[in-house]
Amino acid sequence: MTSADDFVIQFIQDKALVSPDDVAATRAALGDLKEGQNPDTAALEHLVAEKKLTWQAVTSALGAEFDMEVVDVSQVAPTDELLKLVGREQAERHCILPLQMDGVELLVAIADPLDTETLDSLSRILKVPLHPKLAPPDELRSAIDRCYGGGQVNVAYDQVFGKSEDGVSVELPQGGEVKEDDAPIIRYVNSLIVDAIRRKASDIHLEPLEKRFRVRFRIDGVLQEMKGPPKRLQPSVISRLKLMADVSLAEKRIPQDGRIQARTGGRDIDLRVSVLPTVYGESIVMRILDKEGLKLGLPELGFFADDQAKFQSLIGGSDGVFLVTGPTGSGKSTTLYSALNYINKPDRKIITVEDPVEYQMVGINQVQVKRDVGMTFAAALRAMLRQAPNVVMIGEIRDLETAEIAINAALTGHMVFSTLHTNDSVSSVTRLVDIGVKPFLVSAALRGALAQRLVRRVCQACAQPYAPTSKELMSVGLSEKDLAAATPMKGAGCAKCGDRGYKGRRGVFELFVVTAEVQEMIYAGSTLVELRRKAREAGMRTMREDGLRKILSGMTTVEEIVGATVADDVL
């Protein structure tokens, strides 16, 4: 904001973004200004610094006033051609960032909607018409630094990883001294991790292709491509990450797993690193485990009140087995941790055995599986039961031995939580029997099972009512009558969601409660179809039916439910 800050000062007062008293107090506090310094510019910066105002609020108000779109520049990655077209010097001097070519127009992000002179001048120089969009000046400056190779890339190592007595919290292996030539690579890798955490990505994928080194973030379950480093830097970036993850730099023939512990913004972050040799080099995937992200209540998981009440009743029991089922990445661990957090009281002893321990929880005894020394799931379970726990959590039931110990623990007065890989909740019964557990043991111990999938949630900042098309309604089995008392929503796209229309994810659930009748059927060896029919008669909703409720309530969209669940007639 430079060309007409006097207008902006008056504008934000008219819009009640800041009071005249605050403006007067700010000007009085500034006192004498340096020669050439604009008093209105200084007042604006001081109001923001004193948290009386935010640049985001100013920009949003200006966008509405001038009918200009506000963009989230933290999500953009201009091509090299665009960055060459608008050089760094021009970008920094005019606070402008090229976004993309739209036909013959160049879309650009600017901070000052009143600075038309700069836009006209730059358009003549570049010989291309400019279509401006607004962005907060602080975010725009950071994006310019990031896109042109500064700013984020120059994030200090200790800003990301914190300091210990030795200076940093990550110990490098022998021979890992940092050389001066390595500094740009270190800054790039650190900035990559910071950027992924800031965007709330769950994974960072670095994939060597034939002619380029691709970088992708998984955000809300969807992979999104980011601006990657040049192909020539591929070996240096991979070596740096392997060094940080404490895996062998010399070994490039077999897969390796490592771990990086980071701290940013006062939060502890774990990155689980997987290295896989491919045709064009080693592919690295880093799974980001944000310990703050697991502090979820049950409503935040996506439960409606009726299902939540049943779920709480099941997990609050004194004995039995409760299973959470679904494919990899369906949020099973998050649900289990949230359940443990809900029942974690001083009068209960809770022990978990996990491979690996993903999140450390206060008040819970967590055991890490170490197969190389004989600490398997089964061995850990046997030892845990001698610790007289009330609640036991097993990361996953994978074999008969683990399943039998879990069942026996449940039958001797322990509440056992675990996960299982099945497509739906009722299949957990047949899966246990297939593993080798006797049906009479399953019927006696199993209390319930929860199947789930994750769907993207409509962005609350830009959600708008919408009417699904007849084709969409048909795809999920809804009719026009079903919409009479409903308010389906769809995100229009905004700065907060990166113009995607979705922000965050919620679960769709299928909660299977083992009733007395179901116990008898399991004991008698009833088929999956028969068990499912009985569960439906007892009131169980399928994941598709739960998804339909979430479409009608405006939580998600038809597209998400169709992609995550199957029609009930094929179950």
Side-chain angles (χ1 to χ4, degrees), residues 80 118 160 203 249 276 285 301 342 435 485:
D80 292 336
T118 293
V160 184
D203 307 280
L249 294 175
L276 179 70
V285 175
L301 295 176
Y342 174 76
I435 288 175

Side-chain angles (χ1 to χ4, degrees), residues 219-268:
I219 303 173
D220 291 338
V222 179
L223 282 171
Q224 298 179 27
E225 189 160 346
M226 302 291 127
K227 183 177 174 62
K231 179 72 174 176
R232 60 185 171 79
L233 295 181
Q234 175 183 312
S236 301
V237 172
I238 289 175
S239 295
R240 176 61 190 167
L241 285 168
K242 291 174 69 174
L243 190 67
M244 293 167 64
D246 195 21
V247 300
S248 173
L249 294 175
E251 185 55 75
K252 299 181 180 179
R253 302 164 299 172
I254 61 173
Q256 299 186 80
D257 294 309
R259 178 180 179 182
I260 300 172
Q261 292 181 295
R263 185 173 178 80
T264 179
R267 294 149 55 200
D268 291 321

Side-chain angles (χ1 to χ4, degrees), residues 253-286:
R253 302 164 299 172
I254 61 173
Q256 299 186 80
D257 294 309
R259 178 180 179 182
I260 300 172
Q261 292 181 295
R263 185 173 178 80
T264 179
R267 294 149 55 200
D268 291 321
I269 306 290
D270 277 357
L271 294 98
R272 299 295 165 84
V273 182
S274 172
V275 184
L276 179 70
T278 69
V279 174
Y280 298 112
E282 291 173 291
S283 172
I284 291 184
V285 175
M286 292 182 283

Side-chain angles (χ1 to χ4, degrees), residues 130-312:
L130 302 183
H131 181 83
K133 298 175 181 290
L134 282 182
D138 54 341
E139 295 180 14
L140 188 52
R141 285 190 290 267
S142 296
I144 291 170
D145 284 341
R146 170 174 57 81
C147 293
Y148 286 93
Q152 271 191 331
V153 176
N154 291 313
V155 173
Y157 188 88
D158 58 2
Q159 183 178 339
V160 184
F161 296 97
K163 288 188 176 182
S164 66
E165 294 177 354
D166 299 325
V168 295
S169 62
V170 177
E171 294 182 5
L172 300 179
Q174 292 297 321
E177 294 84 1
V178 177
K179 301 175 183 177
E180 186 176 351
D181 292 343
D182 297 332
I185 299 300
I186 293 173
R187 290 197 296 268
Y188 172 75
V189 170
N190 292 349
S191 73
L192 186 71
I193 295 170
V194 169
D195 196 26
I197 292 170
R198 182 176 53 78
R199 293 176 190 243
K200 300 187 183 301
S202 59
D203 307 280
I204 305 172
H205 294 250
L206 296 100
E207 302 160 315
L209 305 179
E210 183 178 6
K211 295 182 179 180
R212 63 191 182 104
F213 189 33
R214 182 166 68 178
V215 176
R216 295 191 288 177
F217 293 167
R218 190 182 297 278
I219 303 173
D220 291 338
V222 179
L223 282 171
Q224 298 179 27
E225 189 160 346
M226 302 291 127
K227 183 177 174 62
K231 179 72 174 176
R232 60 185 171 79
L233 295 181
Q234 175 183 312
S236 301
V237 172
I238 289 175
S239 295
R240 176 61 190 167
L241 285 168
K242 291 174 69 174
L243 190 67
M244 293 167 64
D246 195 21
V247 300
S248 173
L249 294 175
E251 185 55 75
K252 299 181 180 179
R253 302 164 299 172
I254 61 173
Q256 299 186 80
D257 294 309
R259 178 180 179 182
I260 300 172
Q261 292 181 295
R263 185 173 178 80
T264 179
R267 294 149 55 200
D268 291 321
I269 306 290
D270 277 357
L271 294 98
R272 299 295 165 84
V273 182
S274 172
V275 184
L276 179 70
T278 69
V279 174
Y280 298 112
E282 291 173 291
S283 172
I284 291 184
V285 175
M286 292 182 283
R287 186 180 180 197
I288 302 172
L289 304 176
D290 183 357
K291 296 174 184 178
E292 296 293 322
L294 257 289
K295 294 180 179 178
L296 294 177
L298 298 182
E300 284 74 29
L301 295 176
F303 282 111
F304 282 122
D306 51 353
D307 280 341
Q308 183 176 325
K310 292 180 184 177
F311 183 70
Q312 289 173 343

Side-chain angles (χ1 to χ4, degrees), residues 528-547:
L528 176 61
V529 173
E530 292 170 335
L531 288 171
R532 189 166 190 83
R533 185 181 299 118
K534 177 57 67 175
R536 296 289 299 277
E537 290 173 1
M540 183 188 81
R541 266 187 297 270
T542 65
M543 283 183 283
R544 173 58 65 90
E545 289 171 334
D546 189 45

Side-chain angles (χ1 to χ4, degrees), residues 84-151:
K84 290 176 183 176
L85 182 64
V86 180
R88 178 169 190 148
E89 183 180 352
Q90 288 176 319
E92 290 181 335
R93 184 191 317 134
H94 303 301
C95 200
I96 188 171
L97 179 68
L99 301 176
Q100 66 181 71
M101 289 298 299
D102 184 12
V104 297
E105 287 186 325
L106 173 62
L107 304 185
V108 294
I110 62 172
D112 188 351
L114 299 170
D115 193 5
T116 55
E117 184 178 344
T118 293
L119 288 174
D120 292 341
S121 175
L122 196 56
S123 179
R124 287 194 298 271
I125 294 172
L126 300 178
K127 298 179 181 179
V128 61
L130 302 183
H131 181 83
K133 298 175 181 290
L134 282 182
D138 54 341
E139 295 180 14
L140 188 52
R141 285 190 290 267
S142 296
I144 291 170
D145 284 341
R146 170 174 57 81
C147 293
Y148 286 93

Side-chain angles (χ1 to χ4, degrees), residues 70 198 305 473 488 556 568:
V70 178
R198 182 176 53 78
L473 292 174
T556 190
D568 296 333

